[in-house]
Amino acid sequence: MSIAEKIKIPDEELQTILNSAGIATFNCHFPTDTFIVSERYMEMFDFDKGSKPSIHDIPARIHPDDLDYRNEIIKVAFITGTINYEVRIVHRDRSIHWVRVNGSITFDENKQPISSIGIVTDVTKEKNILQSLEEKELRLRLAMDVSKLGIWDLDFTTDDIIYSEKVAEILGHPPSAILTHQQMVDQIYPDDKKIVEDALAAAKQNGIYVYNARFIRPDNSVIWAHMKGKVIFNEGVPIRVYGTMTDITENRIIDEMKTTLAAIVASSEDAIVSKRLDGIVTSWNNSAERIFGYTPEEMIGQHISKIIPPDRLNEETTIIETLKKGLRVEHFETKRLTKDGRLLDVSLAISPLKNSNGMIIGASKVARDITEQKKIIRDLQESEAKFRLLADSMPQKIWTSDIKGNLNYFNKAVYDESGLQYEDIYNYGWMDVVHPDDKEENIRRWKHSIDTGEDFILEHRLRGYTGEYRWQLSRAIPQKDCNGNIQMWVGTSTDIHQIKESEEQKDFFISIASHELKTPVTSIKGYVQILLSIYAKKEDTFLNNALLTIDKQIITLTTLIGDLLDMSKIKTGALELEKQQFDINTLVEETVKEIRYATPAHSINITKPGNNIEVFADKRRISQALINFLTNAVKYSPNNHQVDVTVTANNKEVHVSVRDYGIGIDRQEHEKIFERFYRVEGKDEKTYPGFGIGLFIASEIIKKHSGKIMVTSEKGKGSTFSFIIPTHN
């Protein structure tokens, strides 16, 4: 069971977890020179976001002094299959960062390298701690070498004090300064005055004057001083005391640092162990006990071989020989035994320990338990293999991209159907197989999805290996982390060629049928009008009502035929606009008046600016879109007869909206409502007739005007349909 499975996290979120833990990942495919890295890897190696670094770009980031060492490790890795090294990375701002690289290389049956996968950890902090420790030890030795004592002599009877220049220097004064004893007392740190008073009282009793206290210098800096003196008595009465003053500020800081460093070693997550050259353990921290199970009492004084598997004892000899040369052993990956007999994967960093004469007397080891890291790598490899197997077994074309929209993976179906190789797509791009007439819309839609995070949906034609273009439905959705940040895009392309051909045949039939129906319907309407005029003055009520009903139904049929013809024109790109200058307020009033006449039961209110709003548009088509809004508002408001029409405008565009208080539309239907033949499903909606093409035609009319069509609605509370068009050409 993988780590992701244990903690109930899907595999696709594992990369996000690794990034959050500060662990970078890399995956290199040698035959195709493909190099895939995580965002954390890009940060560690100082690559720009969105760039696509090659494996050949890595050496340029490595410190020149570490490059030969790294190259030698890589050579060995291509033999052993194990990658383990630690180098410095030089960022473009010249800052230095230490990284630890752990990975593995897989080989084919001919033992040729196929790919490598691994993780990278930033160990700059660890390096800085070790370097800081060495620097602090050096400062301590230098402080001891240059230390000088201040000499003083205090007369109890007169309170006069004689002192050397070093005393004045320690207290922060020029060497030639003249100070009284009281001035020196006034410099004692307030919280330490009691310490000095108690030390002086004890000295007058036992003759020994000693204390450590802080002093405030004239520049407000605080120093620590060690005072040691001897009291002179005359017939049992203390008459003077003389002694030394030593600046121990650095010693106090070093002691505090040592305490801090000791705490760091004790609390480190890694096992920190020291041993002699003969393998006898001399120190064993808390994490060593936690990782290996042995207490300090069980290990200190014992041979390190207690935790080394028998088949790896020769490693110890090799390590000792390396240390004797004064060399470090960086990130040596091996196996170690726990007290209960378990085998752990560990990474060792081993440094030589020297005595004061510079002789190497032992070694310091930092051992990190990388068992879980190794398991993560194995799980990643298994997860990737499962994904590829699943994806390659599917007939659909599957592809992925990074957050910038660069496609970086294709399943087997893509290569099989396109006849392309990975190098072809990588070198010439995916757009090479898109039909020339579809490329512009493809690019526009894809860029819109990348910029907004909205799903990518497009019907377009792709070229197959035979050279034939076939219609595909391509969809891509963003994969997001727990914070809503897009990590990658996953897309599919499905062959819908037969469906498209069926649609084209249906559109052709609708176009022909509409044209053929138009002439007889026009003739019928003409005869009905003649009959109405002939029998208008007759008293045959039934006949007149029947003719009016027929005339009304013919109008409905004529509108439907007109919509079908418009839809056919839209599909063939033949819907033309006849633009002219007109007042949108007047158009709205005339259109509303027409609807009021047809539906006298509804109250249609208009809110508009008092001045004229001139627009350059197709007056008939804009009226057609508005009529569709109004008829829908009336049709879907059986129990509330109020409809509100609002017109607003600025210098650039005009906004027209129609609001009803009817049955409303579910939010999930909003985006689909403008699609061709789409009708909202539900127990209420099924009672209303229609083909679902009116809003589709209205949408296309508004798009033709470079405008925008919108709907806001809530179930049971009505709907507001709106369009925005520019006022000028």
Side-chain angles (χ1 to χ4, degrees), residues 373-387:
Q373 294 179 14
K374 285 284 194 179
K375 193 172 188 309
I376 288 172
I377 293 174
R378 289 193 296 271
D379 290 343
L380 283 172
Q381 292 171 331
E382 292 175 2
S383 177
E384 181 185 11
K386 290 177 182 177
F387 170 77

Side-chain angles (χ1 to χ4, degrees), residues 78-96:
F78 275 96
I79 299 172
T80 63
T82 301
I83 304 173
N84 299 297
Y85 62 89
E86 185 175 294
V87 293
R88 288 166 290 182
I89 301 301
V90 183
H91 284 199
R92 284 168 289 183
D93 61 1
R94 298 185 179 180
S95 59
I96 305 296

Side-chain angles (χ1 to χ4, degrees), residues 426-489:
Y426 183 82
N427 293 330
Y428 304 109
W430 173 246
M431 293 304 298
D432 187 53
V433 300
V434 178
H435 193 284
D437 295 344
D438 300 337
K439 285 185 178 181
E440 183 177 347
E441 181 66 6
N442 192 318
I443 294 171
R444 186 189 70 79
R445 293 274 193 96
W446 184 233
K447 185 177 185 302
H448 175 77
S449 294
I450 296 301
D451 292 342
T452 63
E454 296 177 6
D455 291 358
F456 171 78
I457 304 176
L458 178 67
E459 292 182 4
H460 56 169
R461 288 160 288 183
L462 302 181
R463 187 181 67 242
Y465 68 92
T466 63
E468 175 192 5
Y469 285 95
R470 293 183 65 84
W471 281 99
Q472 310 285 325
L473 172 61
S474 292
R475 304 172 64 97
I477 59 174
Q479 300 295 303
K480 301 178 181 180
D481 61 19
C482 57
N483 297 318
N485 300 315
I486 295 175
Q487 302 296 302
M488 64 181 294
W489 290 78

